[in-house]
Amino acid sequence: MANIASARKRIRQTLKRTERNKARISRVRTFVKKVEQAISAGNKEEAVIALRNAQPEMQRACGKGVAHRNTVARKISRLSHRIKSIATA
């Protein structure tokens, strides 16, 4: 355990940040899961709405440093591609 005051403070800060980041990641996963469910159900309108709601949440995670921007861009791209393919199927 840390004896120096600044080290104790860093531990407290790390714990707070970890909790915040876990919540952000969990939130993103929930939004993506809603899109996935709509896609698997074959409901294009619902999937489009779900993606529209998920996209800003994913971008926010990227902005806060929880997710890498290329990862977020790739996931959004793949989800939108799958939604587009619902109409042709």
Side-chain angles (χ1 to χ4, degrees), residues 22-40 46-61 72 75-76 79-80 82-83:
K22 278 183 186 175
R24 282 192 186 114
I25 291 170
S26 174
R27 197 168 154 80
V28 168
R29 283 195 192 125
T30 303
F31 276 94
V32 170
K33 202 179 293 179
K34 287 177 185 174
V35 178
E36 296 277 352
Q37 287 171 348
I39 290 170
S40 64
E46 197 175 305
V48 168
I49 292 168
L51 181 64
R52 212 173 282 149
N53 292 334
Q55 202 164 348
E57 199 62 44
M58 293 168 82
Q59 295 288 352
R60 196 171 297 118
V72 169
K75 288 187 179 191
I76 290 171
L79 286 171
S80 62
R82 286 174 59 196
I83 290 171

Side-chain angles (χ1 to χ4, degrees), residues 69-87:
R69 62 191 172 109
N70 291 353
T71 305
V72 169
R74 184 180 66 241
K75 288 187 179 191
I76 290 171
S77 176
R78 287 179 180 173
L79 286 171
S80 62
H81 179 73
R82 286 174 59 196
I83 290 171
K84 285 178 186 173
S85 68
I86 291 174

